[in-house]
Amino acid sequence: MKKLVISAVALFLSLGGTAVAQTATVVVPGEVRTYVLEQQTPSVTFEGDVAIGTALPDTVEIHTIPDQPDYGYVIVNKKRVLVNPKTRAVIEVVE
């Protein structure tokens, strides 16, 4: 009986983790991507990997996107990157 309860709890927790991961997906509006791709902003150098979830330091200037307060962008290591301006975390690497 004890093994059955432990197995059921483990299954519940693994399914719960999957649901949380799915709700963390960010759907970026197409006009945000288009705006970022059209900008001619200079690239800044960043030591380390630029990946989703990476928090950029305060020394990196985040550029605003008109009428889109939830998104900012930076060109880092010649890659266009969408950023959450409140947390400075990378949302997406635009390619």
Side-chain angles (χ1 to χ4, degrees):
M1 180 71 168
K2 187 175 182 180
K3 288 182 182 180
L4 180 62
V5 171
I6 291 172
S7 297
V9 169
L11 177 62
F12 176 75
L13 291 175
S14 67
L15 291 175
T18 303
V20 171
Q22 289 174 350
T23 59
T25 302
V26 176
V27 178
V28 178
E31 61 267 17
V32 170
R33 267 196 208 87
T34 301
Y35 180 85
V36 171
L37 289 170
E38 291 173 347
Q39 301 310 301
Q40 299 299 318
T41 307
S43 181
V44 296
T45 303
F46 177 73
E47 296 295 324
D49 292 332
V50 179
I52 295 172
T54 301
L56 298 176
D58 292 336
T59 56
V60 174
E61 180 184 358
I62 296 174
H63 303 283
T64 58
I65 299 173
D67 301 322
Q68 297 290 338
D70 295 333
Y71 302 100
Y73 77 95
V74 178
I75 300 178
V76 182
N77 300 339
K78 299 185 180 179
K79 295 180 181 178
R80 295 173 187 273
V81 178
L82 291 174
V83 179
N84 177 327
K86 295 175 186 115
T87 64
R88 305 185 67 80
V90 174
I91 297 170
E92 181 179 328
V93 178
V94 180
E95 299 188 43

